[in-house]
Amino acid sequence: MAGGSKEPVTVMTWAPDRTRATNMPGMPAMAQAYARWVNANGGIDGHELRVLTCNEQNTSAGASDCARRAVHEGAVAVVGSYSQNGDAFIAPLEAAGIPYIGGYGISEDEFTSPLSYPVNGGVAALVAGHGAQLAASCRGVSLVRPDTIAGDRLPDLLNSGLRRTGHDGAADIPATEDADTYTREATRARTRAGGADGCVTAVLGERTQVFFDSYRRLPAEQDTAGGITGTGTGTGEEKNGPRISSVLGSVDQPLIDRTGGAKGPFEGAYVTGWYPQADDPAWQPMRKVIKENAFADNRVDPTDAGVQTTWIAYTVLRRLVESLGEDRVTAYQLSHALDQGAKIDTGGLTPPLRWRYDDLLGAPGFPRIVNRAVTFQVVRQGRLVAQRPGFVDVGKTVLSSAS
């Protein structure tokens, strides 16, 4: 057990749970498993790790409450968390000087606040990278995205990737974020994408599954190009219809498994991710920790992007605390070390991470992106596997989306 004269390190991990929109219960569950593991092995540089968790509820009030609780309970960092409500949680953290380390990358504030240290390129890198992934294979592209302020940025990002190879760009189809059916949007998307050389892309978070359920049920007579029918063979390409695609977080391995794997709608789909495929050897340390410390908690799925992001975020925290070598760790020490150029090796799960001014991408709206890498994946035999090996740098593509 952790012990000795060194003071405990208290952090918080929050995420929404049991809401109508996107839920990420695996993130706080992974944080708790990480704490059990690290404390059973002497803590972080001798510090006991105390993890507070909070249900952010997918609301501004919930995010604000979690942030205020982190301040009240003496957290020195918020680590590996998910919230779309950056405008609600960043201000309380900034006022208390608490760094936000390795958030999921879903809110703009994560890429603008000087106290945010993202470990991935967020939705901006995913969507811009997805355009680059689709450009080589899809003649017509339809983008179904949330009809929200954040969603309004997605067409420019996707088109920045598409147009780098001369593509005309995608048809923009806004959709209600928490709808129970998307028949109208699915019909428009299939029509605008065209036939077998087209792609229908949906970036709706947890509601992406609902969209593709509506898409699969479209009657054949509505599709003059011969698209997907409601009968389906599970290939995602019945009768030479448009191919489907998405990004990590909207489509991931748990969703593919729940919807039939190789016989489900996502077989053959293109997916852009932040990290290596789930069976990459670089994930083995995380898998071992989950197996030994999550105690069959089915929320902690090693193929889930939220769980993976939380593991990487806590890796950053651990390396930082070890580098300080102090008996007492403060929020200021952590943020100062990050600002001064602490370089974090994540074992191949990301490029080496560093948050000096010179390392920031500086893209309008996303200035604090330091990890510009994405991975191109495809669903084959029910598994997300690499479409091409290694990371793809999409920094210039993200920059061009604002030009």
Side-chain angles (χ1 to χ4, degrees), residues 194-248:
D197 57 357
C199 288
V200 171
T201 300
V203 183
L204 292 166
E206 199 163 271
R207 289 285 158 169
T208 301
Q209 178 180 352
V210 179
F211 169 80
F212 282 120
D213 283 343
S214 298
Y215 185 73
R216 293 171 68 197
R217 292 186 174 94
L218 293 179
E221 59 268 26
Q222 290 189 13
D223 183 9
T224 58
I228 296 176
T229 70
T231 56
T233 64
T235 65
E237 303 172 83
E238 290 88 336
K239 294 193 176 181
N240 300 316
R243 198 160 186 165
I244 64 175
S245 73
S246 191
V247 298
L248 200 69

Side-chain angles (χ1 to χ4, degrees), residues 2 8-9 11 31 34-35 38-39 43-44 47-51 314 317:
V9 172
V11 299
Y34 191 97
V38 81
N39 289 334
I44 302 179
H47 298 271
E48 177 190 359
L49 177 62
R50 293 179 178 173
V51 172
Y314 273 90
L317 176 74

Side-chain angles (χ1 to χ4, degrees), residues 104-124:
Y104 187 82
I106 196 70
S107 71
E108 284 192 23
D109 298 80
E110 295 175 58
F111 299 99
T112 57
S113 170
L115 279 174
S116 178
Y117 303 90
V119 298
N120 58 48
V123 174

Side-chain angles (χ1 to χ4, degrees), residues 72-395:
H72 178 72
E73 299 199 28
V76 297
V78 174
V79 184
S81 295
Y82 181 104
S83 177
Q84 300 185 53
N85 301 289
D87 54 345
F89 71 74
I90 281 292
L93 296 185
E94 287 182 342
I98 297 174
Y100 189 71
I101 299 174
Y104 187 82
I106 196 70
S107 71
E108 284 192 23
D109 298 80
E110 295 175 58
F111 299 99
T112 57
S113 170
L115 279 174
S116 178
Y117 303 90
V119 298
N120 58 48
V123 174
L126 284 182
V127 176
H130 197 55
Q133 184 181 15
L134 297 183
S137 304
C138 307
R139 183 173 181 180
V141 178
S142 295
L143 171 65
V144 183
R145 50 83 175 180
D147 189 9
T148 62
I149 293 174
D152 290 344
R153 299 203 67 158
L154 300 186
D156 286 341
L157 288 163
L158 187 76
N159 288 337
S160 68
L162 288 169
R163 289 171 176 160
R164 286 184 70 82
T165 58
H167 198 284
D168 290 337
D172 179 25
I173 302 174
T176 303
E177 191 172 26
D178 60 353
D180 293 324
T181 182
Y182 292 97
T183 301
R184 182 176 63 180
E185 292 85 356
T187 302
R188 290 183 59 204
R190 192 174 62 180
T191 300
R192 297 292 297 275
D197 57 357
C199 288
V200 171
T201 300
V203 183
L204 292 166
E206 199 163 271
R207 289 285 158 169
T208 301
Q209 178 180 352
V210 179
F211 169 80
F212 282 120
D213 283 343
S214 298
Y215 185 73
R216 293 171 68 197
R217 292 186 174 94
L218 293 179
E221 59 268 26
Q222 290 189 13
D223 183 9
T224 58
I228 296 176
T229 70
T231 56
T233 64
T235 65
E237 303 172 83
E238 290 88 336
K239 294 193 176 181
N240 300 316
R243 198 160 186 165
I244 64 175
S245 73
S246 191
V247 298
L248 200 69
S250 288
V251 170
D252 55 17
Q253 191 62 55
L255 173 59
I256 295 165
D257 294 340
R258 289 197 307 271
T259 54
K263 295 183 178 180
F266 296 104
E267 182 68 14
Y270 296 121
V271 180
T272 303
W274 290 308
Y275 314 126
Q277 64 190 61
D279 63 357
D280 190 285
W283 292 114
Q284 188 55 38
M286 179 191 72
R287 288 180 173 275
K288 186 173 187 293
V289 168
I290 291 172
K291 181 179 179 181
E292 296 176 357
N293 297 272
F295 306 126
D297 186 340
N298 60 14
R299 296 174 299 170
V300 189
D301 187 330
T303 67
D304 177 79
V307 169
Q308 294 173 346
T309 300
T310 302
W311 170 263
I312 293 170
Y314 273 90
T315 299
V316 172
L317 176 74
R318 185 183 183 196
R319 299 283 187 263
L320 274 176
V321 173
E322 289 172 343
S323 73
L324 293 175
E326 299 286 346
D327 290 342
R328 178 173 181 265
V329 174
T330 67
Y332 172 77
Q333 288 172 330
L334 293 176
S335 57
H336 182 71
L338 290 164
D339 293 339
Q340 292 302 304
K343 190 174 183 179
I344 307 297
D345 183 345
T346 63
L349 298 175
T350 69
L353 300 173
R354 191 164 53 180
W355 293 267
R356 299 173 308 171
Y357 179 81
D358 290 346
D359 300 308
L360 306 181
L361 180 61
F366 313 98
R368 291 189 65 79
I369 289 178
V370 297
N371 178 4
R372 302 102 185 261
V374 298
T375 56
F376 291 170
Q377 301 179 32
V378 65
V379 183
R380 293 193 181 121
Q381 298 182 337
R383 307 301 297 175
L384 267 172
V385 298
Q387 184 189 20
R388 56 176 285 183
F391 294 112
V392 179
D393 188 331
V394 296

